[in-house]
Amino acid sequence: MWWGGRGQSFNIAPQKEEPEMGLSGPKSVQGSQMPEPRNRQLGSCLASGCLPGEQILAWAPGLRKGLEPELPGTLICTNLRVTFQPYGWQRSQETPLSSEYDFSLVNIGRLEAVGGLSRIQLLRPGSLLKFIPEEILIHGRDFRLLRVGFEAGGLEPQAFQVTMAIVQARAQSSQAQQYAGITLSKAGQSSGSRKPPIPLLETSEDWETERKKQGAKGWRVSTINERFDVATSLPRYLWVPNRTLDSEVRRAFGHFHQGRGPRLSWHHPGGSDLLRCASFYTASDPNKEDIRTVESMLQAGHSDVVLVDTIDELPSLADVQLAHLRLRDLCLPDSSVAEDKWLSALEGTRWLDYVRSCLRKASDISVLVTSRVRSVVLQERGDRDFNGLLSSLVQLLSAPEARTLLGFQSLVQREWVAAGHPFLTRLGGTGASEEAPVFFLFLDCVWQLLQQFPAEFEFSEFFLLALQDSVRVPDTLTFLRDTPWERGKQSGQFNSYPQVYTPGYSQLPAGNSVNPQLSVWDWDLRYSNEQILQFHNPGYDPEHCPDSWLPRQQPSFMVPGPPSSVWLFSRGALTPLNQLCPWRDSPSLLAVSSRWLPRPAISSESLADQEWGLPSHWGACPLPPGLLLPGYLGPQIRLWRRCYLRGRPEVQMGLSAPTISGLQDELSHLQELLRKWTPRISPEDHSKKRDPNTILSQSR
């Protein structure tokens, strides 16, 4: 996992003797002092760079197992992370946290202690270790495993101390505390106001700029949720139809689940609009005017409207969580599954089936958006999970600008962060039972697209890995809150809300200037130049850049939809509807003509075949420029091995060799391993000759 900040020195706190049931362990092993030479070596090893405010709670010499050869070093527990430091290895000042050796506390999924006679104890936060451990196993939520055996010969107390320190640090830590401790110092390192790498969509100006960029002339920026009094899970500003008044929008939103009414997600340059909203609140009793407003907003100025049942044919949140847990258990190095049964066990997790379902549905929706000028409405009960996943995939399949480094970051910021995806809850940060890594499922889908269309994407697999790892790192608020309201309140963005800092800081320390704009997209604050270079896909074809794609506002690009038609897209087929709204006797503005009935969907006929099998008087309609239709059958969907098998180095070699991008990635990976295994030898890295900042600036 890659995460870190600029070089700072550790605040090394000496270990103290604890009561009998504390960190020091049983009386029989108390009293040993930390060897002075080792202590000096530890201090010099850590002084090369780390996070400010970090304190060492305990440490112990050990041997990292599961590698060939096994690595001797020191296991260290701090108030922010657990790290293993091999002897003779120096940290880079630019990246004081290592992908190989560091586990943030929030990334620890399971902790096990192993004693003599094969004794194994599962240590949950607040547990008490019952024996002196000979070995501990730290299972990361990111599919890594840290296995450390402890040395004998009078050092048993330190093994007990460091294990209990990890247990207590997990119990006492909170993501909010870790965020404040890290970000305050990082913001203080930057001089003056730092401009975000991409618009964070926290101002009306950001939304207006993005609207103009998309060419959505029929839409405007609404401020009805500026105080979050319509819905705390929605952004402060929304795109609504030009002809709809804010007072009408406010009333219309009240007839949808959690107040998340229909609003523009993306405007296709050919004329179609992609909307998203929650399910209808059927218990409400709207008047005729409200119903007309709802229908008008769903219609969005189009005569052809398609309601997409988002949940249909997709897994439930519980299904996603169960599949991810099964996949993690299977891919960890200590998996008990026999090699000859591994592939069948992988199929049994159903994770790849869910990736396939998402790609197939996104492909169908892309066809709906690009084949005819229409309004396509994604409707999900909460509008915070699969609506964001499908909307993002549709834009990646349909819009080349979304496949650039800057465009993809803007897409995630708009469709996930600003749209209120509950990151903290879905990743288990709240302790609720609604954990489900929907965002990780989305990243896997994007990785599949990278494999099938390697020349279409400006960013690389390593960028996706960095983004996934950043979700579990508590250094910004981007992924550590469930709603824009919570994120803005925590950062002190709103003057009416008190700012929140680490315990003991009731106000901002003198001389420090917190920049609430600091986000996960500030890669240069957390990653080395060499790592940022790997974000760029060398196989990307510049001919696929947005400027060479399609002129804005080209009315002849797509054929018009049938007059006054309403459809429900479900189970791969279009079904006519008599009305848009579910309320009884609603005076629908749109009627369905029987001559526009779709052909029945059969398993061998894709929606693309149905949609482009147009009436003869419409003429031929070729596949729109820039549209990607991925394969999703059989072996076309693959396991993301560099992500899920990262805890097993022996299977990492030769993953992407058939592509130019893969060859460069493989070379960089081997060079990194060479530097770690031979600390005194630093082979020249020719990639340093290129300034990584130009990669990010060229995308802006």
Side-chain angles (χ1 to χ4, degrees):
M1 182 177 64
W2 289 346
W3 63 295
R6 295 299 184 189
Q8 298 283 338
S9 59
F10 265 105
N11 183 0
I12 302 179
Q15 299 186 92
K16 300 179 180 179
E17 289 193 2
E18 301 290 339
E20 180 174 349
M21 302 303 291
L23 291 178
S24 299
K27 288 183 178 180
S28 59
V29 294
Q30 288 184 4
S32 299
Q33 297 296 322
M34 189 182 304
E36 185 63 20
R38 287 273 181 89
N39 192 21
R40 286 198 301 267
Q41 182 183 18
L42 178 65
S44 62
C45 183
L46 296 176
S48 60
C50 74
L51 297 173
E54 191 167 15
Q55 291 187 340
I56 294 180
L57 304 178
W59 67 272
L63 190 68
R64 181 169 183 179
K65 299 185 176 181
L67 301 176
E68 293 294 339
E70 297 179 336
L71 293 178
T74 305
L75 182 68
I76 306 162
C77 175
T78 78
N79 56 326
L80 298 179
R81 58 174 167 151
V82 176
T83 180
F84 182 82
Q85 297 256 7
Y87 293 146
W89 178 68
Q90 294 292 327
R91 291 182 177 272
S92 166
Q93 292 186 357
E94 289 187 333
T95 54
L97 293 131
S98 164
S99 62
E100 298 293 330
Y101 303 124
D102 294 308
F103 284 71
S104 64
L105 294 177
V106 296
N107 186 40
I108 299 177
R110 189 167 79 246
L111 175 65
E112 294 177 328
V114 180
L117 303 177
S118 300
R119 299 178 63 186
I120 301 178
Q121 182 180 352
L122 177 63
L123 297 171
R124 297 182 174 87
S127 298
L128 179 64
L129 183 58
K130 299 178 180 179
F131 52 83
I132 300 295
E134 297 180 357
E135 182 178 316
I136 65 170
L137 289 82
I138 300 176
H139 299 259
R141 297 178 183 269
D142 60 357
F143 291 78
R144 291 184 298 139
L145 174 66
L146 180 61
R147 180 184 171 194
V148 179
F150 297 109
E151 300 178 4
L155 297 178
E156 292 84 355
Q158 290 177 254
F160 187 93
Q161 288 172 351
V162 73
T163 305
M164 282 302 302
I166 298 172
V167 173
Q168 295 185 7
R170 292 181 66 199
Q172 297 173 2
S173 68
S174 70
Q175 292 181 339
Q177 293 173 351
Q178 294 181 51
Y179 156 75
I182 296 175
T183 302
L184 282 177
S185 61
K186 287 187 176 180
Q189 293 170 14
S190 60
S191 58
S193 177
R194 179 180 176 86
K195 183 179 179 180
I198 63 168
L200 300 182
L201 300 176
E202 294 174 345
T203 66
S204 58
E205 291 78 11
D206 287 347
W207 286 92
E208 178 63 16
T209 300
E210 181 64 24
R211 184 194 67 81
K212 292 180 179 179
K213 182 180 177 182
Q214 294 189 13
K217 294 183 177 180
W219 299 83
R220 65 178 178 85
V221 178
S222 173
T223 60
I224 61 167
N225 199 43
E226 196 166 24
R227 294 179 174 271
F228 294 102
D229 52 349
V230 173
T232 58
S233 63
L234 284 175
R236 300 174 71 190
Y237 307 100
L238 312 165
W239 289 326
V240 299
N242 277 334
R243 298 182 179 180
T244 308
L245 301 176
D246 276 354
S247 58
E248 296 174 328
V249 174
R250 184 181 295 271
R251 291 197 306 271
F253 274 40
H255 301 298
F256 289 83
H257 186 65
Q258 296 182 1
R260 297 178 65 92
R263 62 214 183 272
L264 178 66
S265 178
W266 176 60
H267 175 77
H268 190 281
S272 288
D273 290 309
L274 181 65
L275 285 69
R276 59 184 292 182
C277 65
S279 59
F280 296 109
Y281 183 46
T282 56
S284 66
D285 187 19
N287 55 38
K288 293 183 179 180
E289 289 74 17
D290 289 350
I291 294 178
R292 290 182 181 274
T293 299
V294 170
E295 290 188 331
S296 177
M297 296 183 69
L298 293 172
Q299 188 179 5
H302 298 279
S303 61
D304 189 16
V305 183
V306 179
L307 291 180
V308 178
D309 183 1
T310 299
I311 302 301
D312 177 56
E313 296 183 297
L314 293 186
S316 66
L317 294 177
D319 291 336
V320 173
Q321 173 65 2
L322 180 60
H324 192 260
L325 291 177
R326 289 175 174 173
L327 181 66
R328 190 167 66 193
D329 290 341
L330 176 65
C331 293
L332 282 174
D334 60 346
S335 173
S336 59
V337 178
E339 184 176 354
D340 58 340
K341 298 182 179 180
W342 200 90
L343 291 179
S344 60
L346 174 62
E347 182 180 0
T349 66
R350 302 213 61 190
W351 180 261
L352 297 184
D353 289 337
Y354 298 153
V355 172
R356 180 177 295 107
S357 298
C358 292
L359 286 176
R360 178 168 184 169
K361 185 132 192 175
S363 299
D364 287 346
I365 298 172
S366 299
V367 171
L368 290 172
V369 171
T370 57
S371 61
R372 311 182 190 188
V373 179
R374 55 170 42 130
S375 171
V376 179
V377 184
L378 304 180
Q379 194 165 35
E380 178 190 18
R381 174 173 174 80
D383 181 37
R384 300 177 66 185
D385 292 294
F386 288 102
N387 267 5
L389 182 147
L390 291 178
S391 176
S392 301
L393 289 179
V394 167
Q395 294 177 57
L396 285 170
L397 292 175
S398 309
E401 64 258 35
R403 304 170 206 150
T404 64
L405 193 57
L406 175 61
F408 184 74
Q409 294 176 93
S410 299
L411 175 68
V412 173
Q413 183 70 26
R414 185 177 70 252
E415 298 297 335
W416 292 87
V417 181
H421 176 67
F423 284 101
L424 196 60
T425 298
R426 293 293 177 260
L427 297 175
T430 62
S433 59
E434 300 176 346
E435 183 176 354
V438 180
F439 186 65
F440 293 165
L441 181 63
F442 163 68
L443 293 181
D444 197 324
C445 292
V446 178
W447 180 82
Q448 303 290 338
L449 297 179
L450 260 67
Q451 305 312 300
Q452 296 190 29
F453 307 99
E456 300 283 346
F457 291 85
E458 186 183 21
F459 53 88
S460 69
E461 174 185 22
F462 283 105
F463 175 76
L464 294 179
L465 283 171
L467 183 57
Q468 174 162 304
D469 288 343
S470 298
V471 174
R472 301 219 184 262
V473 176
D475 58 355
T476 72
L477 281 182
T478 305
F479 299 128
L480 291 183
R481 293 295 177 269
D482 281 345
T483 67
W485 174 79
E486 293 176 0
R487 201 172 289 112
K489 180 179 178 180
Q490 179 73 39
S491 67
Q493 178 185 355
F494 313 128
N495 293 332
S496 57
Y497 301 138
Q499 295 188 7
V500 180
Y501 304 105
T502 49
Y505 285 99
S506 58
Q507 60 183 7
L508 188 64
N512 246 335
S513 173
V514 174
N515 186 350
Q517 299 292 312
L518 190 67
S519 71
V520 69
W521 315 119
D522 291 293
W523 299 109
D524 59 330
L525 291 182
R526 301 177 296 120
Y527 284 75
S528 70
N529 292 345
E530 184 179 353
Q531 289 172 330
I532 293 176
L533 282 171
Q534 294 185 356
F535 291 175
H536 187 267
N537 173 21
Y540 174 65
D541 187 353
E543 293 297 323
H544 298 152
C545 67
D547 293 339
S548 64
W549 175 44
L550 180 71
R552 290 289 177 185
Q553 303 302 324
Q554 186 176 346
S556 61
F557 168 55
M558 296 191 300
V559 294
S564 299
S565 57
V566 186
W567 310 93
L568 172 67
F569 179 69
S570 178
R571 298 190 180 279
L574 290 167
T575 305
L577 296 176
N578 291 323
Q579 61 187 36
L580 271 173
C581 301
W583 299 286
R584 181 178 300 178
D585 300 326
S586 60
S588 178
L589 298 176
L590 306 173
V592 179
S593 174
S594 59
R595 63 193 178 103
W596 300 109
L597 292 177
R599 292 179 293 166
I602 57 178
S603 58
S604 61
E605 185 178 31
S606 69
L607 183 64
D609 297 329
Q610 300 177 49
E611 279 291 281
W612 276 292
L614 303 173
S616 59
H617 65 273
W618 281 4
C621 183
L623 193 69
L627 177 64
L628 306 179
L629 292 181
Y632 41 76
L633 301 177
Q636 292 175 305
I637 302 300
R638 301 157 53 190
L639 178 69
W640 188 2
R641 292 196 290 168
R642 198 181 292 277
C643 177
Y644 303 131
L645 299 178
R646 59 172 58 185
R648 302 170 66 175
E650 70 277 6
V651 300
Q652 294 294 323
M653 297 296 99
L655 292 184
S656 306
T659 66
I660 296 176
S661 174
L663 289 173
Q664 186 187 59
D665 295 346
E666 186 76 3
L667 177 61
S668 299
H669 183 70
L670 291 173
Q671 289 175 337
E672 178 67 16
L673 287 177
L674 183 61
R675 281 193 294 271
K676 290 175 181 177
W677 286 46
T678 56
R680 297 182 180 181
I681 301 177
S682 296
E684 182 181 0
D685 186 356
H686 296 285
S687 63
K688 291 182 179 180
K689 296 180 181 179
R690 185 180 178 190
D691 183 5
N693 294 323
T694 60
I695 292 179
L696 300 179
S697 61
Q698 287 172 357
S699 303
R700 299 179 185 175

